[in-house]
Amino acid sequence: MRRAGVVAIALLVAIGAVSGAVRTYVILNHDAQFLLRIQKTIYGSFTRDTTFVVLWTRELVVIEERFAKHDRIMLVHAAAGGAFLLLALLQFSSRLRLRYRELHRWLGRVLAFLAIASGLAGLFFGVVIPFAGAGEVTSTGFFGALFVFAIVRAVIAIRAGRIEVHREWMIRAYAVALGISTIRIVGSLLQTFTPLSIRELIGVMFWLGWGLTLAAAEAWVRMTRAPTPRA
Ligand code: HEM
């Protein structure tokens, strides 16, 4: 079970980090066509119905235009988010933590900054200029706020010397970041098995992807919580 968990997390980190890197490349090289070509090919594998490929591609063009209009904010979001997903993994290694305590502290400060910058930029896209209406606003608002809150709560806890509380909130924050990869998997499945547009799917895949990942993290937190000593 532990091995399955490690494989699942590695897969989610890879999906998130690659999506952050690809988006960063696209913005820095002003090459949205590169991404549209890849996505069109992927869509072709979801369905043989070309009407859907045309519909999804049309929606993607609108999404791309939104991102291009606010490319600096998207750059902060994707680059900082991708870096957070990759580097925060190191923070969970107890061997590294014990051997290089100073590194854990400094990297922790950098990661808290990256997470808050990425989270606030994500809130801008999902809450201020949403593409898909209420489902996107509510899911992004909830999980984005939780992401920022969890980081702040974890930092406050460690400054007060409460290591267990710090650990739990960092796991929750990391789960929200990993959730963006679950969203992509859930989204691909929904696109394959339902006749819905991206606009109709976004709210469902955001709630499901983030919800499932956070539920798994919460179960892990509770299973591994140190027993409180009896009074
Ligand atoms: C920390 C890891 C994260 C990474 C690596 C990441 C990556 C990305 C990328 C690359 C995109 C552009 C879409 C694409 O290229 O496929 C994106 C869009 C978006 N992200 Fe994130 N993200 C992360 C976390 C979050 C969080 C915590 C939120 C919650 C506020 C969020 C909300 C959004 C929203 C709302 C969009 C735009 C969706 C739309 O309206 O089209 N992301 N993200």
Side-chain angles (χ1 to χ4, degrees):
M1 181 148 159
R2 206 186 170 91
R3 190 171 294 177
V6 171
V7 172
I9 290 173
L11 178 72
L12 295 180
V13 171
I15 295 173
V18 168
S19 72
V22 170
R23 176 58 59 186
T24 304
Y25 167 86
V26 164
I27 296 172
L28 293 178
N29 291 283
H30 305 286
D31 191 4
Q33 286 305 321
F34 165 76
L35 205 61
L36 283 170
R37 274 196 305 275
I38 299 181
Q39 281 167 325
K40 211 169 164 181
T41 313
I42 297 175
Y43 286 168
S45 64
F46 289 162
T47 176
R48 297 214 168 144
D49 189 341
T50 46
T51 353
F52 271 102
V53 180
V54 172
L55 169 72
W56 290 335
T57 311
R58 245 186 243 149
E59 290 185 298
L60 271 188
V61 171
V62 178
I63 293 175
E64 286 303 322
E65 282 169 359
R66 252 168 83 244
F67 292 165
K69 207 166 160 193
H70 304 281
D71 59 350
R72 287 187 188 175
I73 303 179
M74 182 42 87
L75 184 62
V76 169
H77 179 65
F84 174 81
L85 256 185
L86 269 182
L87 295 173
L89 261 188
L90 299 173
Q91 300 293 83
F92 290 104
S93 156
S94 41
R95 205 184 306 162
L96 275 182
R97 242 182 2 249
L98 292 174
R99 206 180 281 183
Y100 306 105
R101 196 170 284 247
E102 263 318 291
L103 174 70
H104 181 80
R105 285 199 183 124
W106 275 102
L107 190 55
R109 286 177 193 134
V110 173
L111 288 169
F113 175 75
L114 290 177
I116 291 175
S118 177
L120 292 179
L123 280 167
F124 170 77
F125 284 102
V127 176
V128 182
I129 54 155
F131 167 72
E136 181 175 2
V137 175
T138 51
S139 56
T140 314
F142 180 75
F143 291 102
L146 179 65
F147 185 56
V148 175
F149 175 80
I151 294 284
V152 172
R153 190 75 181 74
V155 170
I156 291 173
I158 201 59
R159 293 196 72 83
R162 301 178 67 194
I163 296 174
E164 195 51 31
V165 178
H166 170 71
R167 171 184 166 273
E168 292 188 1
W169 282 102
M170 275 304 179
I171 291 175
R172 291 182 185 112
Y174 197 63
V176 177
L178 280 180
I180 64 124
S181 306
T182 318
I183 287 171
R184 280 162 209 269
I185 297 173
V186 171
S188 307
L189 291 174
L190 290 173
Q191 276 179 298
T192 310
F193 296 111
T194 66
L196 297 172
S197 66
I198 301 179
R199 200 182 290 273
E200 289 163 319
L201 283 178
I202 280 188
V204 182
M205 67 199 222
F206 275 23
W207 273 109
L208 262 180
W210 266 320
L212 288 172
T213 319
L214 205 69
E218 198 55 44
W220 177 253
V221 162
R222 278 153 207 257
M223 263 162 55
T224 54
R225 185 174 280 164
T228 40
R230 282 168 191 238

